[in-house]
């Protein structure tokens, strides 16, 4: 097997309660670089973290200018996929008090932004009874979650 540069990013899961929205977020724990076969490195980390709940590990094989291969493993139970890979969470937009059939614009959502390094990938999203919808605003796009989806 060929050797390559592999960047490994380890995240720990945390629960965040924001104005009636409970969601699983990720906080960066460590990043390291290794040289070797990416499949061997992934297997090593799977074995190392298999009994450690609440982890997400991203492996990126680096080419000369960009990632040539990327994969993610997780030890989070009930990991409902929210985004295809961990992405930085910029803000959460919350909608409350929606009347049946009412149409609203983005300005009707209360926006709560984050200065800290928080990521989102998979996990649980729970909306309180008075929350109608939430928009997860990330560096790579948006995800809307309504009462029907939770």
């Amino acid at each position: 097997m060929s050797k390559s540069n592999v960047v490994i990013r380890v995240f720990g899961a945390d629960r965040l309660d924001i104005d009636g929205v409970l969601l699983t977020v990720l906080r960066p724990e460590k990043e390291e670089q290794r040289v070797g076969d990416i499949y061997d490195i992934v297997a090593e980390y799977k074995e190392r973290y298999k009994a450690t709940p609440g982890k997400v590990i991203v492996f990126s094989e680096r080419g000369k200018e960009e990632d040539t291969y990327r994969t993610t493993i997780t030890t989070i139970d009930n990991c409902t996929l929210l985004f295809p890979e961990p992405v930085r969470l910029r803000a959460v937009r919350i909608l409350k008090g929606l009347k049946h059939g009412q149409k609203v614009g983005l300005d009707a959502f209360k926006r709560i932004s984050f200065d800290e390094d928080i990521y989102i990938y998979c996990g649980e999203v729970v909306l309180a009874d008075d929350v109608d919808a939430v928009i997860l605003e990330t560096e790579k796009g948006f995800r809307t979650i309504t009462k029907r989806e939770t």
Side-chain angles (χ1 to χ4, degrees):
M1 294 281 166
S2 65
K3 294 187 182 234
S4 56
N5 292 317
V6 180
V7 176
I8 302 116
R9 297 173 62 205
V10 179
F11 298 88
D14 194 7
R15 303 288 294 203
L16 196 60
D17 190 352
I18 312 160
D19 197 18
V21 177
L22 182 66
L23 65 140
T24 304
V25 296
L26 303 175
R27 298 186 189 274
E29 291 184 351
K30 69 179 177 178
E31 181 174 315
E32 58 187 40
Q33 293 189 8
R34 301 263 307 269
V35 175
D37 178 69
I38 190 165
Y39 302 109
D40 292 339
I41 293 170
V42 170
E44 175 191 327
Y45 273 78
K46 276 186 177 181
E47 183 63 27
R48 183 187 307 175
Y49 284 96
K50 72 180 178 185
T52 309
K55 300 292 181 195
V56 171
I57 306 162
V58 179
F59 303 87
S60 301
E61 183 178 50
R62 293 279 161 95
K64 290 184 180 182
E65 295 181 20
E66 61 185 43
D67 292 350
T68 56
Y69 177 78
R70 180 176 291 194
T71 190
T72 304
I73 61 172
T74 183
T75 61
I76 299 175
D77 291 333
N78 302 320
C79 191
T80 302
L81 192 64
L82 300 169
F83 287 90
E85 63 183 344
V87 292
R88 187 170 183 281
L89 185 63
R90 290 189 173 167
V92 173
R93 295 175 183 257
I94 300 169
L95 178 65
K96 294 182 178 183
L98 184 65
K99 293 177 179 52
H100 184 70
Q102 179 183 3
K103 295 184 190 256
V104 296
L106 195 56
D107 59 334
F109 286 76
K110 176 182 175 184
R111 186 177 191 270
I112 302 165
S113 59
F114 302 102
D115 292 329
E116 58 186 307
D117 216 12
I118 297 175
Y119 289 73
I120 192 136
Y121 170 59
C122 68
E124 190 175 33
V125 178
V126 179
L127 306 181
D129 290 340
D130 64 334
V131 176
D132 298 299
V134 64
I135 297 174
L136 305 174
E137 183 181 323
T138 75
E139 63 188 2
K140 293 191 176 182
F142 297 85
R143 169 79 190 261
T144 303
I145 299 168
T146 63
K147 275 278 199 225
R148 284 183 284 225
E149 294 178 71
T150 61

